[in-house]
Amino acid sequence: MVCTSQTLAAQAGLDILKSGGNAIDAAIATAISLTLLEPPSNGIGSDLFALIWYKGKLYGLNGSGPAPLALTREKVLAKLGMEARATGHYSDGGQILDLSVSDMPDHGWETVTVPGAPASWKALHERFGVADFASLFDAAIRYAEEGFPLQPICSRIWKKNVPKVAGLKDETMYQPMLDTFFNRKKLESGEVVRLPEMGATLRNLAESKCDSFYKGDIAREILRFADATGGYLTEADLQNYKPEWVEPLRLHYRGYEVCEIPPNGHGLVVLMTLNILQQLSLGKKEDSETVHKQLEAMKIGFTDGKMYIADPRYMKASVEYFLSEEYGKKRAAEIGHQAQLPRPVDLNCGGTVYLCTADREGNMVSLIQSHFNNFGSKLAVPGTGILLNNRGKNFSLNPEMDNCLAPGKKPYHTIIPGFLLKDGEAVGPFGVMGAFMQPQGQVQVVNNLIDFGLNPQEALDAPRWQWTGGKTVEVEANYDRKIVEDLKQRGHDIKVMEDFTSFGRGQMIIRQSDGVYAAATEPRADGVVAAW
């Protein structure tokens, strides 16, 4: 099985399975295809996180990159015309002002971190793959050179970015991005899009096993572009990069283990929130008391996550504390009948695509790949089709924060693949893409599966909420109006949203007790469950 948000990408992975590849090979082929087929959300210059169940053991790969060694907080402040000052994320009321905004710029070279996706494809294949590595690029190269039809949701997201990039047309460094992805394109659903320069880059990566991105021809093109346009990336940044194999975090939740990649990713926010919720009794799904508890726990988990999650080398807080019963009980006890503005816990008293795959041997992959905002830094390396990420946007410029920008440091990261275990065996991979919606979507999906007994498709289909800061909560247009009114009475500021594209796009594969796979894909995406 292969599940993802783009039908041609899922088919690319399925073809690898049919030809004898395993779940890891299929995941890599799907991920490579998605860089081409969903450029608003990810690209060759993206980062990647993955959880891999292989022959009875769970592995984690952190394919995020650090800030360039030449990039300092002082340089960013000077570029922004700001004084060196501490600007916190919290008001006196303990409120997160905006989950999606930091002090960093939205785009430009200051937001670019070393891309990790190509090195991660190689690392995954070297450890677990069985197919010929170059063959994993075949479908993507064909789509790049011969063209692919634009799917409806991708078309919608792509077109929403037209006014956002219009103001960049007079700046030279953004011209390659505009020429490659916007100029002379109608962007209508069904339009056949060709990106031949990206096809040539993928051929180069296939032949060099991705080494050329960090040490060869492609690296030279990236550095030439950086030198010409005020970038900070250097030869040392690219040559020294390696993805990290990490031990997944695990939280026991009502008979299951929920697994996430450890910081610098914010999968810990999912586990903190579930840790709080398991200290509480949840009633029926369609009950305002249940939703209120979910929202309050989510607000607390996110508040603590935004305060303390960072590159683990810089974190003062203990991850173990956030997973402890002590933390769960302390924070659960703070949830009352009314909506609150949460404060961070006192430790002195602690643009994205998702895919999942499974093969006949029981191996499974949960993989997420992103350059953060749509079209990342808005910088494309001329003649290559490589969009560079804007992951550095999530750094803070407040020197008192663990997540403050520093050379060679990894930023707070929003991409989080999930995985479920039960009694030490794989249940399956799941994920919900969408920046700061990701942990919120994951918590709701886990609750739907485990607490409310929904099947995988029902768990993804169910209407969603998202907390956006303070007491403000957005809900989808089809959310139960009685619950909405009751939540308002509890002090929540509820906004009913007609646009569903910000509520996440998830995929899931569940291995049933009889060994048969059950899978689901999002109604909010152009997704498909490709099975063989």
Side-chain angles (χ1 to χ4, degrees), residues 41-48 63-68 106-117 213 233 370-373 375-380 386-393 411 413:
S41 304
N42 77 131
I44 297 170
S46 286
D47 282 347
L48 177 159
S64 64
D106 290 332
H107 53 267
W109 280 110
E110 289 72 27
T111 68
V112 177
T113 58
V114 179
F213 190 94
L233 286 174
S370 170
H371 43 218
F372 191 43
N373 288 153
F375 297 96
S377 62
K378 310 299 188 290
L379 295 166
I386 296 173
L387 273 167
L388 297 170
N389 68 71
N390 70 324
R391 279 289 159 194
K393 173 179 164 49
H413 230 283

Side-chain angles (χ1 to χ4, degrees), residues 486-527:
D486 196 359
L487 291 174
K488 288 180 179 179
Q489 293 300 313
R490 291 171 180 263
H492 297 281
D493 177 16
I494 306 294
K495 298 186 184 303
V496 179
M497 308 297 291
E498 293 296 330
D499 186 354
F500 60 83
T501 56
S502 68
F503 286 88
R505 297 178 292 155
Q507 319 291 331
M508 187 188 319
I509 299 175
I510 299 296
R511 187 175 186 179
Q512 301 178 141
S513 58
D514 59 3
V516 175
Y517 293 125
T521 188
E522 273 278 2
R524 302 168 186 84
D526 297 312

Side-chain angles (χ1 to χ4, degrees), residues 8 11-13 15 29 33 36 134-144:
L8 294 176
Q11 190 60 51
D15 286 345
S33 295
L36 174 86
S135 72
L136 307 182
F137 290 77
D138 287 349
I141 292 169
R142 186 171 67 253
Y143 295 142

Side-chain angles (χ1 to χ4, degrees), residues 190-376:
E191 179 192 358
V192 175
V193 176
R194 293 178 178 84
L195 297 169
E197 64 273 41
M198 200 165 173
T201 298
L202 292 170
R203 282 187 185 278
N204 190 316
L205 292 173
E207 292 167 2
S208 70
K209 294 189 175 179
C210 294
D211 288 345
S212 61
F213 190 94
Y214 301 94
K215 298 178 181 179
D217 298 343
I218 296 174
R220 284 189 286 274
E221 291 302 317
I222 294 171
L223 295 175
R224 186 177 293 119
F225 181 49
D227 289 343
T229 55
Y232 302 91
L233 286 174
T234 65
E235 186 177 39
D237 291 318
L238 295 176
Q239 289 190 359
N240 295 333
Y241 178 73
K242 286 184 179 153
E244 297 179 72
W245 292 101
V246 295
E247 183 61 33
L249 299 180
R250 304 167 188 237
L251 176 77
H252 290 275
Y253 183 77
R254 308 196 200 278
Y256 291 80
E257 284 183 273
V258 185
C259 307
E260 301 281 350
I261 294 286
N264 54 314
H266 69 173
L268 181 58
V269 170
V270 177
L271 303 186
M272 289 192 290
T273 304
L274 292 173
N275 191 13
I276 297 166
L277 285 172
Q278 71 178 341
Q279 315 303 326
L280 306 168
S281 60
L282 295 182
K284 295 180 180 179
K285 178 178 175 10
E286 290 79 17
D287 181 84
S288 58
E289 177 71 17
T290 296
V291 179
H292 171 72
K293 289 176 180 177
Q294 289 177 297
L295 285 169
E296 293 300 291
M298 188 79 249
K299 286 155 65 174
I300 292 169
F302 233 139
T303 299
D304 289 342
K306 284 291 287 179
M307 185 69 180
Y308 298 112
I309 289 174
D311 185 321
R313 297 171 297 168
Y314 296 80
M315 279 179 65
K316 301 183 186 74
S318 163
V319 170
E320 289 71 25
Y321 172 69
F322 291 123
L323 300 179
S324 70
E325 186 178 11
E326 175 191 355
Y327 170 81
K329 286 184 174 179
K330 174 180 174 62
R331 295 304 251 163
E334 299 169 13
I335 295 176
H337 183 75
Q338 292 295 114
Q340 300 180 64
L341 292 174
R343 292 179 179 273
V345 68
D346 183 358
L347 293 176
N348 295 319
C349 25
T352 304
V353 292
Y354 176 78
L355 65 96
C356 48
T357 62
D359 64 29
R360 69 180 71 191
E361 296 175 353
N363 303 313
M364 298 176 172
V365 177
S366 180
L367 186 151
I368 198 155
Q369 183 171 269
S370 170
H371 43 218
F372 191 43
N373 288 153
N374 287 162
F375 297 96

